[in-house]
Amino acid sequence: MKRLTLVCAVSTACLLTACGGSSKSNINVTNSSTNTTIPVNATPPPTPVSKYGISFNTVIENDCGVAPIASSLVFHNEQGQAIETPVIKPDGLFQYSRPADTHYISIIATQTDSNNEKQTEIITINNVDDIASDLALGTVTFKGYQSCDCDAVNFDVSELAVTNSDYTLTGFSDNIILANSPAELTLCANSLQEKLLFIKNANTGDVRGGVFSLTDGNHIVLSDADFTSTGVVVNTTQHTQANEYVLISTNPANLVTREQSRYARFSDTPLYIFPNIVEQSYITSYLTQTMNEDEVSITIELFATNTIDDTGTSNAAEHIQISAQLAAAFADSGDSMVDNYDFGSVDQRINEVTFTMKWQDQFNGHVSWAIRGDTKGTIAELLFGNYLNEDKAQPINPSLSFTLAAYQFNGSYAELQKLRTNPLSSNEVKDLLAESAFLNITASQ
């Protein structure tokens, strides 16, 4: 992994932040909405039952939906060399006996985006021996790039505006003042199954919500009778930092899987949950800051998620701290061509580390390569033969990201992988993700 310059810049930035060094802080939250031409609300094939050394299925996902994607599987030995010709599956469904000396596996999907540019995405599992002898990965998700049309759902608000003219309607891209709204509003549903909307009267404090199915038709008439659930204000007094963004959702993994959240507001605006119609709500605190170090642009993002009870109260989920230990871990990981990394001393909660490299070149187009593993490990100089040739590619616009994940889970990394990829009940999801934290640092030249 040729990344020493970026690693050194990251470690220096960590030291500056930990010691109170100045940096320009801002809020830059965007919703990823890459597209692909696939059936709306399509479902991937069932996760294969593992009777082999390795099993999984690959899908493409964006706001249009989910569908299978052709992909390739590469086995690497401990030195990083490709063991055999890549396994290619047009349907994305893998059930395969991996070679005995496999130490890493890489899954690769190549697409063409709406600008006819090549997009190559690679996911590498570091040290498969630490994961399980029977490697059942479940569904491996790649990002979609091509554009798709808006699957429009029209909301008729004329009746609602008559009975609630002094109210604001929330749930669309902008808050809608009903007295001034057009008779019909449009929402691009695409992969969404349902949508939470609520109305609010600032003068009386009346806040009421309703959940609307987006699969029963493309024309919904809203009336006062649809908003029957009383909103409960969320206590956000612990979220006071100027560059802090607070997200309320009904899906604890929305920041990981790119699923669209119900709604979001900045921390100085009242936030509401609706316990009567939503089984469980989550609060995520998001902090970000940017800086420049040695002509390298550094972006630091922190996420912390917790559950909210029916009274609007949540525990104060702690962010992973920027510290001298973190800076030292980054610096140590860039000391050699074969990278040894150890982030175990940074935060005892951390149980997964992901390195993501991005660049452009004339052979592979736009490349995103994520290598994920336990908190401690070794990454060799991984080679792909003719499939991905780093030596001749002459990368441009390189960037390197480190993501540290702290799930609420005390088992081994192998057990964590199985729990994440097997079908989960709602209680298991809550136990795994209710109190999670992520730290992401991206360095780009």
Side-chain angles (χ1 to χ4, degrees), residues 29-32 61 63 170-173 187-189 191-198 214 245-265 271-272 278 280-284 286 305:
V29 179
T30 58
N31 291 324
S32 176
E61 177 192 33
D63 64 348
T170 296
F172 295 87
S173 58
L187 178 72
C188 289
S191 62
L192 292 178
Q193 301 291 320
E194 58 184 21
K195 183 66 176 177
L196 173 67
L197 303 175
F198 68 91
L214 303 181
Y245 188 91
V246 177
L247 178 76
I248 304 294
S249 71
T250 59
N251 171 22
N254 64 321
L255 295 172
V256 180
T257 63
R258 299 191 298 274
E259 294 178 15
Q260 184 170 332
S261 62
R262 299 288 189 165
Y263 60 93
R265 289 291 175 268
L271 300 170
Y272 299 90
V278 175
Q280 180 64 66
S281 295
Y282 301 85
I283 184 169
T284 297
Y286 169 39
T305 299

Side-chain angles (χ1 to χ4, degrees), residues 1 26 46 48 55 79 92 107 121 152 157 236 242 258 282 287 290 300 309 323 371 394 398-399 414 430:
M1 295 173 67
N26 64 359
S55 62
Q79 291 71 43
I107 307 161
E121 188 172 356
V157 299
T236 59
R258 299 191 298 274
Y282 301 85
L287 290 165
T290 60
I300 301 175
D309 65 25
S323 63
I371 304 173
Q394 297 181 359
S399 70
K430 178 180 177 181

